Amino acid sequence: MRLKKLEISERVVQRLTEYLSILKEARKQDSEINSIELAKIMNTTSAQVRKDLSTFGEFGVRGKGYDIDNLIEIITRILGIDKTNDVIIVGHGKMGEMLSSNLDVLGEGFKIIGIFDKDNDKIGKMAANNLVVQDIRNIGEFIKNMKNDSNIKINMAILAVVKEQAQIAAEGLVKNGISAILNMTTCKLELDKNVKVVDMDISAKLQELNFWRINNTENNIDEKI
Amino acid sequence: MRLKKLEISERVVQRLTEYLSILKEARKQDSEINSIELAKIMNTTSAQVRKDLSTFGEFGVRGKGYDIDNLIEIITRILGIDKTNDVIIVGHGKMGEMLSSNLDVLGEGFKIIGIFDKDNDKIGKMAANNLVVQDIRNIGEFIKNMKNDSNIKINMAILAVVKEQAQIAAEGLVKNGISAILNMTTCKLELDKNVKVVDMDISAKLQELNFWRINNTENNIDEKI
DNA sequence: TAGATTGTTAATCGATTAACAATC
DNA sequence: TAGATTGTTAATCGATTAACAATC
């Protein structure tokens, strides 16, 4: 696979995950797809589909379209989920529990290798995946041992603590070498710029939805005093 | 409050939810904030902050800035969460259970008034919030009764079924008058255009994060064969 | 009044799309 | 070869930002 050196926008990466999901669905029916069909499902233009994909290389066949299996493989590789990526979950409340026990929710390509909490009532308890909830205070040691014993370098975490603890917990993670955080809390994390944070704020999304629900008369907010 | 008639972009609404979250945090320290401070926390420019807010009216005081409490109240109203908005949850697996039992996760302004599943093992069971899991097949009746008995018009749902059921379940909801769906599944829903869907795909977000984690050397993917 | 910060206009930047030569 | 669809360029559109008059 040939990858171009290029500035890649967040938008393109977001759509890449959508293409992957659509292609996995489409593969049940067909073995090929073209940019027009893909665009229709994506609610966009075929030009955008082709441009997005061409960011990463030439994957199509002129006159025919794209081989679905091939495209799935390529996008899978671009997103780095052709291998298994190790993740730790921090916080074992309702959210952390759901994430660790619902196998489907993280999707393929990710493996939970540690679950942490600061609550003594939870530490030591058996969680899903044959994992025991560990003391968050031992996270540095855990990461170090993983590196030494198995040569596994952990740098990705899912943050699922209560929002009051989010900032301080995140800082602790960063101190211990975590550089990628999926933030499931409502807290806006303020961390070093080279730490990549992706926010997953359910309440914010619900607020968005509610805005559009209220202002759904196509076009939209009336002038009112 | 004066609301301007205007095309509002999804981006602006997204940021509105962020401003709200930041302002709620800031209110603990201060009673006023200006666009420069707000921009710094948001990682953007003061111009964007002022432009975003001015989409909805004139809320600042020249020479001073914005009153935090006032701005919170205004954004709260714009997002429609100054009142309580009724939501139903469809699917009472790990995800649905988490959503209905974790009070914080939906945030203020939303109330779960019904929980549904199609699984006979789950129907009739007591869930959180003193709600009993109802048969999804009775959802039409439930919505009709709510309308007749309490004049509550339900049109917002959180879809938390397994992805194989997502499309068919969503269609059922729409048939019964739901026009706003927070989609917690990985499935890309294909519904009538006037149904507003907001996707909340954890695995997709994790894929995104993983991409940036892998390609985090500031600038970024190398040319390679 | 002087200093500060808003709201808004105009300039810039980046993302989307139309169009088409390349090519299967 | 004729028909189709890609990959890419150039045009368009929309979003961000700089700059500044308005005004507290």
Side-chain angles (χ1 to χ4, degrees), chain A:
Chain A
M1 178 174 45
R2 188 185 186 77
L3 296 179
K4 293 181 186 172
K5 181 166 195 139
L6 202 59
E7 294 287 317
I8 292 160
S9 80
E10 300 203 357
R11 282 309 189 67
V12 172
V13 180
Q14 271 168 29
R15 282 195 298 266
L16 224 48
T17 68
E18 282 191 70
Y19 292 132
L20 183 58
S21 155
I22 288 168
L23 290 165
K24 282 183 173 175
E25 194 59 31
R27 127 168 98 182
K28 292 173 189 166
Q29 318 292 332
D30 248 322
S31 67
E32 290 186 343
I33 198 165
N34 63 40
S35 59
I36 300 154
E37 296 165 317
L38 212 36
K40 208 174 154 208
I41 305 172
M42 286 282 289
N43 247 321
T44 181
T45 60
S46 64
Q48 178 160 87
V49 171
R50 294 195 300 277
K51 189 145 227 282
D52 281 349
L53 296 175
S54 73
T55 308
F56 301 95
E58 301 192 10
F59 308 128
V61 180
R62 284 160 203 243
K64 293 196 83 186
Y66 301 88
D67 180 86
I68 294 181
D69 280 335
N70 182 238
L71 210 45
I72 288 175
E73 202 187 310
I74 286 162
I75 297 177
T76 300
R77 220 181 305 165
I78 293 171
L79 295 172
I81 50 176
D82 53 331
K83 335 176 177 17
T84 297
N85 300 281
D86 298 308
V87 195
I88 58 171
I89 294 184
V90 179
H92 199 249
K94 300 272 183 195
M95 174 66 81
E97 219 174 316
M98 187 275 290
L99 292 171
S100 58
S101 60
N102 182 345
L103 289 172
D104 281 347
V105 82
L106 301 192
E108 286 170 31
F110 299 97
K111 188 182 165 203
I112 301 164
I113 58 162
I115 303 175
F116 297 86
D117 204 295
K118 63 165 227 164
D119 184 352
N120 285 323
D121 292 352
K122 288 172 185 157
I123 295 164
K125 289 255 167 68
M126 200 68 182
N129 317 55
N130 282 330
L131 290 172
V132 171
V133 179
Q134 298 179 68
D135 191 332
I136 185 66
R137 283 157 284 244
N138 298 337
I139 197 162
E141 205 186 342
F142 175 81
I143 290 178
K144 211 188 319 168
N145 289 343
M146 272 299 193
K147 182 76 181 67
N148 292 338
D149 302 350
S150 324
N151 203 31
I152 293 176
K153 200 171 164 300
I154 306 165
N155 53 19
M156 183 160 42
I158 302 179
L159 188 65
V161 300
V162 293
K163 72 164 178 290
E164 289 75 17
Q165 295 294 325
Q167 178 65 32
I168 190 94
E171 285 169 13
L173 293 173
V174 172
K175 237 172 249 150
N176 284 295
I178 297 294
S179 60
I181 297 175
L182 183 65
N183 176 25
M184 305 297 300
T185 80
T186 301
C187 180
K188 185 148 185 62
L189 302 176
E190 298 182 58
L191 301 168
D192 193 294
K193 273 231 167 59
N194 59 26
V195 177
K196 184 68 196 175
V197 176
V198 169
D199 289 311
M200 190 81 211
D201 185 338
I202 297 178
S203 77
K205 285 287 174 193
L206 200 52
Q207 289 169 5
E208 255 182 72
L209 179 67
N210 198 50
F211 176 88
W212 296 115
R213 183 180 71 85
I214 297 170
N215 305 113
N216 70 350
T217 342
E218 271 311 84
N219 307 301
N220 42 34
I221 296 183
D222 292 332
E223 182 94 28
K224 55 187 167 185
I225 312 285

Side-chain angles (χ1 to χ4, degrees), chain B residues 34-35 50-51 58-60 62-64 66:
Chain B
N34 64 40
S35 59
R50 293 195 299 277
K51 190 148 227 286
E58 302 192 11
F59 308 127
R62 285 161 203 240
K64 292 196 83 184
Y66 302 89

